[in-house]
Structures are given as C-alpha cells and as structure tokens.
Amino acid sequence: MDPTRDFIKGVKRLVIKVGTAVVTRTEGRLALGRLGALCEQIKELNSSGFEVIMVTSGAVGVGRQRLRYRKLVNSSFADLQKPQVELDGKACASVGQSGLMALYDTLFSQAWFLACFLLHILLLDVTSSQLLVTDSDFKDPDFRMQLSQTVNTLLALRVIPVFNENDAISTRKAPYEDSFGIFWDNDSLAALLALELKADLLVLLSDVEGLYSGPPGEPHSKLIHTYVKERHQSEITFGDKSRVGRGGMTAKVKAAVYAAYAGIPVVITSGFTTDSITKVLKGERVGTLFHQDASKWMLLGEDGAHNMAVSARECSRRLQTVSSEARKKILLDIADALEANEELIRTENEADVAAAQQAEYEKSLISRLTLKPGKISSLANSIRILADMEDPIYRVLKRTELAEGIILEKTSCPLGVLLIVFESRPDALVQIASLAIRSGNGLLLKGGKEAMRSNAILHKVITGAIPDFIGQKLIGLVTSRDEIPDLLKLDDVIDLVIPRGSNKLVDQIKESTKIPVLGHADGICHVYVDKSADMEMAKHIVLDAKIDYPAACNAMETLLIHKDLLKTEGLNDLIVELKSEGVALFGGPRASLEFDIPEAPLLHHEYNSMACTVEVVDDIHAAIDHIHHHGSAHTDCIIAKDLEAAEIFLHQVDRYLSAVLNGVICTRQAASLFLFLIGTKFSITANFDRSLGSFDLSSRITFKSDVAHFLKTFIYKYKYIYIYIYIYIYRGDIVEIFFLLIYIYMYVYIYICIYIYVYIYIYIYRAVYSTIPYRENIETSVRAAVFYNASTRFCDGARFGLGAEVGISTSRIHARGPVGVEGLLTTRWILKGNGQIVDGDKGVVYTHRNLPV
C-alpha cells in the first residue's frame, strides 16, 4: 500500500461518481462494457461490507439518443430536408432517466451473455434504488435529514442508492448551461452528498487516469498523484471541457478540492479500466488523491522525483564545464574517501548481510551482497585506473571539411542523466558513480532493499567527496521502491535507464517506461568443449568459469560437450573435478542419461550458484543451435584446437539468426490481426535497444487449447453486448434485436475465419522452421561477447580495461558487452563557418574532405 493512501484502511462508506464520458461512448451510445465492469466492482465492494453510494450522469445523453431515433422514425422525407433543431435538454433528461435506471437495475440484478448459442446467467444479486434531487431540495433542512435517513436504511439493506440531478424539472435554464446554487453539476453533487452522508471517500471516475499538469494529450503533461493546492493550483493548465458532460476536469478538481478541504478524501481516476475502484481501495497509487493533509506530507512524490532528476542534470552541466584534471581529482578523492571509511562501510555491509541471512535470502543473493575483504581496496584502485584514463568527453572523433571555410566536427559528449536500478550489489554503486563522474553524467541510483545500509553509507562517502561548486545532488539515491514509477515517467529529464538485476526486474522496467533501456536480463553463459579441445585446458577453463564466482552474471551456467568426447578419460576427469568442487550437475535430455544425473529444470536456466547444466551435442552447429535456443545473449565460449571450428563459432553465432529472421517477421505480420482480436500479447517496442518486436506464441500450443482460449476471450470481452438483447426484449424492440443478431453472426463468422487462416499459416510455418524457438525477444540471440579458449569470467569492465562497468549490455544498438565510459556517451556535431549560407546551394562547392583529428 502506498504510504499516502494509508487512510484507505479506514474507509467504510464511499461515494462513486460516474461521468457522462464513462457512461457513453464517443458516438453517444451506452458503453455497456464499462458499465458492466463498474457494476461488477460495486457488487464485489457491496459483498465485502463496503457501503457504496453512486452518483451517475448520462441521463441526458441516453435520452437524446432515444429521442433522435424516435424523431427520425416519425419524420417524413420533407421534415428531414428542413434544418434540424437541437432537442430540448430537459425532455432528453426525462426520457433518459428511466432508461438509464433500467440499465443499472438490469446490470446489478443479472448480467446476461451468450456463447456458442448457449445462454448463461450470472447473478450479481444486488438491488439498486433511484434518488432524483434538485438544487432547491438541499435548501430544506427537513429534506436533508430525511435524505440521510433514507440512504442509511438503504445501505443497511445492502441496496445501492443511485443519485442523479433531476434535470427534467430543474430550475436551471438548461442542464448544461449554467452553474449556480448549492451544487452546479453531478461532480459538485457527489461532493455535497459525500459531506451530507458522512462518507469516508469520494471517487470521481473520469475518461483519463487522473489530474495531469497540462492537457493529457500533450507530451510533457505528467500525472499528479497527490494534489497540493498551494503548489498545483497555479501550475495546472486545463484542456477542453468534457466532450459530453458539463464541466470536465475543471469541475472535478473544483468539487474535489471542496470535499477534500472539508475532510473527505477524494480520488480522481479512470472509469475506462475494469479494476480502478478496486485498486483505489487496495491503496495502490492510481489516479490523483486530494487530501486536506497533503501539504504536510513530506514524502518524495512525483514532484520530488522530478526535482531530483532536474538537480542531477544541473549538477552534471556544472561538472562538464570543469577541466579534465578537476574531474580526475574528484575521482581520486572518492578513492581515498572509500579507503579512509572502509571500516565503517564494512560494518554497515555486515549488518545488511546479517539481516539477509536472518530473512533467509538465497545464498547467491547474499554472496553478491557481501563486500569481501579487499573489495574496498579493489574498488578504490579501479577508480584510480579510471581517473588516469584519457578524458572521454568533448573528444573530436571525426573532422570533415564540408566546403571551403566550413569545418564539421563529430565530438563525444555525455548522455545527460542516468537512472540505474540494481539489486543486492553495493559494489555496483561505486562503479556506476565513478563512471558517471568520469563521463560527465548526472546519476540517480536505486539499490535493493537488502543493501539499504551499504548503499546509504557508500552514497554518503562518495557525494561527500564531490565539491560544493558542482553539488552533491549530482548523484541521487532513491530510497523507496514507490518512487520508481514516477522516475520512469520522466522521459523529458532522464536520458537512459540501466537495470541490473533479475529477468523480472529488467522486463518490468522495459514495459513501464518510454526512456531508452540498456541492459540484459539473464546471464546464461555457455562453454562448448569441441572434440578437438585440449582437455587439460578445458578443465581449467570450465572450473574457473563456474567456481571462481558462481553468483556473477558471467559465470558458466551450461556446459556443452561434443558427442565424440563421451567415454574419454579427459571428459570423465572434468566431470569428476566439477563434482569434487561441489558443483551440482543437471543434465539435458542426452546428458542426464549419459552421466546418470538429474534432468535440468529448464535448459534456459540461470543458477547463480554452484550448479550448472550439462548437455551433449552432435557437432559445433548443434552447439550454436542450442545457444540460440536457450542462451541469453551474454557470453559464450568455445574450447578447441581446431581453428576452423573456432572461426565458425566466433562468426556464425549471429548469422543463424539472420537466416531465419524473415520467417519470423512474416509470421508476426500474418498473425497481428488475430493476436490483436483475441488479446494475445503483441507489441513492437520503440526503445533503441529493442528493435524487432516480439510475440509469445508457444510451439507446444494445441488446436484444442487455441479454441478454448478463443471462446473464453470472446465471451469475456463481448459479453455485455448481450445485455442489449435483454433490454430490447424487455422493451419489445424487435427491429433492434434482429440487427443485433445479424451483427453477432457476422462478427463470429469473420472472427473464426481469421482464426482458422492464421492457425493454418502458423502450423505450416512451424513445420518448415521447426527448430526456431517461439519465445519472447528472439532478437536476444545476438551475443554480447564470444570467447575462444578463455573463461567467461573475463567478460568484465575492469578486466577489459574499462576501469569499471555499469553493467553488461546484450542490446544490439548503442553499446554491447561490458559498458564502460564510452557506453555512457553520445555524439554531438559542431559546425564552424565564417558567414556561409545555403541559398539553394548556389555558389557552394562541397568538398567533403576528411581532415586529421
């Protein structure tokens, strides 16, 4: 639960206001799907003991639709040629109120849906009641007292009171034209009722997620999670009013402020999602909260996150202005500070380790968390090596003479502000911070909660060595997980996100941000022992790759063995040596039989411990095939004497992907419409490190399961259309029933045809390309690093001579492998002239001559 929503625990009675934009669709028809989902949520709340009061709009819209239809039916051709007069709003309200209430009564009492010519009834067993009020009613104290008594009685009987302004007899000029009196629209009516009926919470449902800092459609508008009147009142720019209602977001904010400062918390959230109210009552950070104590809360919210990122950017700009020697001195001071505070750092780290052991975390996590003896000195030495390297920023990479007197330079420059999210490795904080300073970038860090004390002391030591004229806010430490969603939305301030952690962490971040993401998920490193390998060398490499640091992402996780090595003394020695060192061996289908070892849970599996998978392959091509199917594009190694085999391994790993890529793309294009219809995950990502797109069809899927999924999805997504049938039967509208049945028949027919076509297409494709793995992110078959006769443990920034690393990237674009300083830089073009103009290129003679750098 979000700390700012802690008051939700005490909510018993709530008022839910449903706007016209939620009740109706764009063209004015009822949004039955949204209303059905809303009624199901309210039913669940009612069953859970909550007292729910509804305030609904939409009567005028419903009535206008029905009266337009009746007017059309009763009009002659001559009448249709005349200018059409807009229908009277009060008449529309009168007609629409009964229809809208009949719909709510139907939805609350029973939801009807049809599937495969069978009629099912899902009983919600909730009773609703209608209460129509006017502004003048609230001027009478006796009315207000009687209203409270009536509502209390209804709630005690588990009846849902449904309020609406009685626009048909309202004294206003027209339902949408003036705003005076005790309440002026249904938003203000909802606020008034929340106060009168002593509600604990008011929820205003809108057609957007909540209150934004500007019109929601504008790119720089940000969702405000907690409204602080003193801060936001003058900053917010409102867009257009509601497309169908009376006031839009302006009216909602006015009503929310009125209720909140009178003591009733208010949440404005989307009515378009199927579980928005449920999420609000779970205390999740959805929508915009209005609370009378909001200004007293000092928690880091979306504004604090934005300010932290802006401060890091401003400090980075000051860092970029100082000399290379000044930046070098900062790094040397940090190295000295780390060594001077080693005892304090180790004390805090030992406290983290003890807490992790008490919490029974995995041994691999505790291993990564521990700062072993000598680690601080090693980190300090790495920083000094980094400081002595050539200054990486503002280097001229290329110089070209475009024309006489016009010189173009391509230079290196910092990216800007980096957000690094990492788990359980406090040493990563030191490496990342030193790289950010050397490359002139601002930095925001979010470490795992298991390393909270270690990260805090390391951050304090490092920022303490940064001069005041640059600012300690150059490196910000994010302390709460709740702050991450706000930071991931700051694509206008943060330039790159680098996640270091589990596959789940990396995937979550990639799916929840527009900011480019650089990183890798799993570290499933393979070592392939060819038939030509020197087995003594192979033994040393394999043992080092596995046992030197089993928890590292560059440790060996899978050992591939050429079939010709079976039954040889060298291989037997290797297997015995692994077991004697305490490595648990798990086999693939062939190896588990050959070596009598347990079968591996998955061939695509990262152990991060003293365990690995062993599998037997027929030849080098089978080894490459296995790596493409089950690897993670991190680091793979071949051990061989045969140079030709080594060259094949080193250079054909990526080529296999390009040979099958066209088939994958064709399948995606053919299946896209089908996947969209049935709701299967289908996406094309825009980040620079994910350029192909993905789909998640399983190669083991069966026709039976496909059909079941189709029917289940169809019934779930379109069940509310059959409420129309029930309503039309109830009203006796035979023509509407006829056309609805034709619509359903045509939709199901087209749906099934598309389904059968795509299924046949995919089936044929699988038969042709039976070896292609159908899993997400097939583009990850591109290796970050490929080794020959060397341990995978060499895949490390410090060992590569980069000084340090922010992580190992498996992306194809921008940076690959261990990412050091150069991976945190981009380029800038600088053009120098002396007054030249283009003017249609008249008189300009382009030379495009390369000049020495």
Side-chain angles (χ1 to χ4, degrees):
M1 177 175 287
D2 186 272
T4 62
R5 311 292 175 100
D6 192 57
F7 69 89
I8 293 292
K9 296 176 183 177
V11 170
K12 174 73 173 179
R13 176 177 293 186
L14 67 152
V15 176
I16 300 173
K17 189 269 176 178
V18 187
T20 305
V22 177
V23 174
T24 61
R25 298 185 300 192
T26 306
E27 73 278 12
R29 293 180 177 273
L30 286 170
L32 290 177
R34 288 199 291 270
L35 289 175
L38 172 66
C39 291
E40 287 184 13
Q41 290 182 84
I42 292 176
K43 177 261 179 184
E44 291 298 327
L45 297 178
N46 193 54
S47 302
S48 301
F50 288 96
E51 296 177 350
V52 183
I53 301 166
M54 278 187 66
V55 178
T56 183
S57 302
V60 174
V62 173
R64 180 175 286 113
Q65 180 187 344
R66 295 181 67 180
L67 286 180
R68 281 175 178 170
Y69 174 73
R70 291 301 167 194
K71 183 178 180 181
L72 178 64
V73 170
N74 296 321
S75 298
S76 65
F77 183 76
D79 293 334
L80 295 176
Q81 304 303 309
K82 299 176 183 178
Q84 300 298 305
V85 180
E86 183 62 32
L87 295 168
D88 177 59
K90 295 184 183 297
C92 293
S94 179
V95 173
Q97 282 166 357
S98 60
L100 183 62
M101 198 59 215
L103 175 60
Y104 278 121
D105 190 55
T106 301
L107 291 171
F108 277 126
S109 61
Q110 53 191 350
W112 296 66
F113 58 93
L114 182 65
C116 298
F117 311 106
L118 295 176
L119 188 65
H120 300 268
I121 300 178
L122 175 65
L123 295 179
L124 297 184
D125 194 25
V126 175
T127 302
S128 59
S129 64
Q130 184 180 28
L131 295 96
L132 297 176
V133 295
T134 62
D135 179 80
S136 58
D137 293 334
F138 284 88
K139 298 176 182 178
D140 185 353
D142 293 334
F143 167 82
R144 296 164 74 166
M145 183 177 66
Q146 184 59 53
L147 176 68
S148 180
Q149 293 175 358
T150 301
V151 170
N152 288 336
T153 302
L154 292 172
L155 293 175
L157 296 171
R158 296 293 178 198
V159 176
I160 305 295
V162 181
F163 281 87
N164 193 0
E165 181 180 5
N166 193 352
D167 292 321
I169 60 172
S170 173
T171 56
R172 301 183 195 282
K173 300 175 183 176
Y176 292 173
E177 288 183 7
D178 50 17
S179 53
F180 64 87
I182 298 176
F183 68 88
W184 49 92
D185 57 18
N186 280 324
D187 291 311
S188 56
L189 172 60
L192 176 61
L193 288 172
L195 293 172
E196 284 288 331
L197 303 176
K198 297 178 173 58
D200 302 311
L201 176 68
L202 169 60
V203 179
L204 301 177
L205 297 181
S206 176
D207 55 354
V208 292
E209 295 179 15
L211 176 62
Y212 284 78
S213 56
E218 293 187 0
H220 296 297
S221 296
K222 302 296 179 183
L223 179 64
I224 298 171
H225 285 294
T226 303
Y227 179 88
V228 179
K229 185 177 179 181
E230 295 79 6
R231 181 188 306 171
H232 294 119
Q233 189 172 31
S234 60
E235 295 179 359
I236 297 173
T237 303
F238 291 100
D240 297 332
K241 67 178 288 295
S242 171
R243 58 176 172 80
V244 284
R246 198 173 304 175
M249 188 56 70
T250 306
K252 286 179 174 56
V253 171
K254 186 176 180 180
V257 170
Y258 168 71
Y261 282 83
I264 309 295
V266 183
V267 175
I268 300 177
T269 188
S270 172
F272 281 36
T273 57
T274 59
D275 57 353
S276 55
I277 301 174
T278 304
K279 287 183 176 179
V280 168
L281 292 175
K282 286 181 179 178
E284 295 185 23
R285 202 179 195 194
V286 296
T288 302
L289 171 65
F290 294 73
H291 197 284
Q292 62 180 355
D293 295 330
S295 60
K296 301 177 183 178
W297 295 335
M298 301 303 295
L299 296 173
L300 177 67
E302 63 277 357
D303 292 322
H306 186 272
N307 291 337
M308 179 184 282
V310 170
S311 296
R313 182 172 61 183
E314 291 173 351
C315 291
S316 71
R317 288 172 176 168
R318 290 195 290 270
L319 176 65
Q320 294 164 24
T321 61
V322 303
S323 66
S324 176
E325 287 300 316
R327 287 192 293 273
K328 177 179 178 179
K329 186 178 184 305
I330 294 173
L331 289 174
L332 295 176
D333 289 344
I334 290 174
D336 294 339
L338 287 172
E339 290 181 334
N341 292 276
E342 180 173 2
E343 185 176 345
L344 179 58
I345 294 170
R346 287 182 57 80
T347 300
E348 294 297 300
N349 181 248
E350 287 168 1
D352 281 334
V353 172
Q357 291 172 338
Q358 187 175 3
E360 298 182 347
Y361 285 136
E362 294 180 1
K363 290 183 179 179
S364 59
L365 184 147
I366 295 174
S367 176
R368 293 193 297 271
L369 175 62
T370 305
L371 292 174
K372 297 180 176 62
K375 187 64 176 178
I376 297 299
S377 297
S378 175
L379 290 170
N381 290 333
S382 296
I383 295 174
R384 293 187 179 102
I385 293 172
L386 185 63
D388 290 335
M389 295 173 63
E390 180 186 0
D391 190 6
I393 63 176
Y394 303 131
R395 288 189 296 118
V396 178
L397 306 176
K398 185 179 181 181
R399 180 179 283 113
T400 306
E401 180 191 70
L402 299 187
E404 185 178 355
I406 305 178
I407 306 299
L408 178 65
E409 294 179 343
K410 182 180 181 181
T411 64
S412 61
C413 66
L415 283 170
V417 177
L418 314 175
L419 170 62
I420 316 295
V421 183
F422 59 100
E423 296 178 340
S424 68
R425 288 193 61 179
D427 60 310
L429 185 150
V430 180
Q431 296 184 51
I432 295 165
S434 59
L435 285 169
I437 293 172
R438 196 69 179 108
S439 59
N441 287 294
L443 180 63
L444 301 178
L445 293 162
K446 172 62 180 79
K449 63 180 181 180
E450 63 280 352
M452 184 181 302
R453 294 185 178 183
S454 303
N455 291 336
I457 187 62
L458 287 169
H459 176 260
K460 182 178 180 180
V461 170
I462 291 172
T463 54
I466 299 175
D468 292 337
F469 67 86
I470 291 176
Q472 296 185 359
K473 291 185 178 180
L474 173 71
I475 301 175
L477 182 64
V478 182
T479 57
S480 171
R481 189 173 184 174
D482 296 327
E483 299 156 14
I484 294 297
D486 291 321
L487 290 167
L488 292 177
K489 294 176 182 177
L490 301 179
D491 54 297
D492 59 330
V493 184
I494 297 174
D495 300 286
L496 182 66
V497 179
I498 303 179
R500 293 185 60 169
S502 65
N503 189 18
K504 182 180 178 182
L505 170 71
V506 176
D507 287 343
Q508 284 178 343
I509 288 177
K510 286 184 175 181
E511 291 172 1
S512 56
T513 185
K514 297 178 182 178
I515 306 170
V517 178
L518 182 71
H520 77 279
D522 299 324
I524 303 176
C525 302
H526 291 72
V527 175
Y528 166 59
V529 182
D530 189 59
K531 63 181 180 180
S532 66
D534 179 333
M535 292 308 296
E536 191 64 26
M537 177 195 293
K539 183 168 68 174
H540 290 304
I541 291 174
V542 169
L543 288 173
D544 180 80
K546 182 68 257 181
I547 69 176
D548 180 64
Y549 188 12
C553 64
N554 57 11
M556 181 191 74
E557 302 291 5
T558 301
L559 173 63
L560 300 178
I561 300 168
H562 194 287
K563 67 178 182 179
D564 290 355
L565 295 176
L566 294 175
K567 311 302 182 185
T568 62
E569 184 179 350
L571 178 60
N572 291 336
D573 289 345
L574 173 58
I575 297 298
V576 170
E577 193 72 27
L578 283 170
K579 290 181 177 179
S580 66
E581 291 289 345
V583 179
L585 301 180
F586 298 91
R590 297 175 66 176
S592 58
L593 298 175
E594 291 287 349
F595 302 112
D596 191 25
I597 55 178
E599 192 163 343
L602 288 171
L603 293 178
H604 181 92
H605 187 71
E606 184 177 17
Y607 296 95
N608 286 132
S609 63
M610 290 288 282
C612 72
T613 301
V614 181
E615 181 58 317
V616 178
V617 294
D618 290 333
D619 53 27
I620 190 170
H621 298 289
I624 294 172
D625 192 9
H626 181 100
I627 291 170
H628 281 139
H629 279 244
H630 307 294
S632 64
H634 194 293
T635 304
D636 300 296
C637 164
I638 180 174
I639 305 174
K641 287 182 179 179
D642 187 344
L643 293 178
E644 183 179 351
E647 289 299 316
I648 290 173
F649 188 91
L650 295 175
H651 296 102
Q652 291 195 7
V653 165
D654 295 349
R655 198 168 301 166
Y656 173 83
L657 177 70
S658 62
V660 301
L661 193 56
N662 290 334
V664 175
I665 292 175
C666 289
T667 304
R668 285 179 53 248
Q669 292 170 341
S672 60
L673 176 60
F674 165 72
L675 295 172
F676 170 75
L677 287 173
I678 69 172
T680 304
K681 181 179 178 183
F682 178 78
S683 63
I684 297 178
T685 56
N687 290 350
F688 60 61
D689 62 323
R690 291 164 64 86
S691 57
L692 296 182
S694 61
F695 65 103
D696 58 357
L697 291 178
S698 169
S699 59
R700 296 182 296 275
I701 202 165
T702 63
F703 184 78
K704 182 178 179 180
S705 65
D706 279 353
V707 172
H709 177 68
F710 158 70
L711 292 176
K712 177 182 177 182
T713 307
F714 182 83
I715 291 169
Y716 178 78
K717 290 181 70 174
Y718 301 102
K719 62 182 178 181
Y720 295 113
I721 194 173
Y722 305 107
I723 298 172
Y724 267 129
I725 297 178
Y726 173 77
I727 294 172
Y728 288 147
I729 291 174
Y730 178 78
R731 287 165 39 190
D733 293 337
I734 304 302
V735 175
E736 285 89 341
I737 295 173
F738 174 74
F739 282 110
L740 269 174
L741 290 175
I742 291 178
Y743 169 79
I744 294 168
Y745 171 78
M746 292 178 64
Y747 190 90
V748 172
Y749 176 79
I750 295 171
Y751 206 102
I752 292 176
C753 287
I754 293 174
Y755 176 84
I756 293 173
Y757 166 75
V758 174
Y759 188 90
I760 292 173
Y761 190 97
I762 294 175
Y763 181 82
I764 295 172
Y765 177 78
R766 288 173 182 165
V768 176
Y769 296 100
S770 58
T771 61
I772 298 175
Y774 281 83
R775 62 180 180 85
E776 286 194 40
N777 305 335
I778 193 168
E779 72 272 19
T780 60
S781 292
V782 181
R783 309 296 103 188
V786 188
F787 292 176
Y788 169 45
N789 287 348
S791 170
T792 57
R793 291 280 293 125
F794 279 106
C795 191
D796 176 82
R799 296 186 178 98
F800 275 18
L802 305 180
E805 67 177 36
V806 294
I808 294 179
S809 169
T810 56
S811 304
R812 298 190 68 184
I813 301 176
H814 178 66
R816 294 177 63 186
V819 179
V821 172
E822 291 186 1
L824 304 181
L825 300 173
T826 185
T827 56
R828 177 185 300 167
W829 295 98
I830 297 176
L831 185 70
K832 299 177 180 178
N834 51 19
Q836 292 88 346
I837 61 174
V838 174
D839 191 24
D841 289 330
K842 298 174 183 177
V844 179
V845 179
Y846 291 100
T847 58
H848 294 145
R849 182 166 59 92
N850 291 330
L851 301 176
V853 175

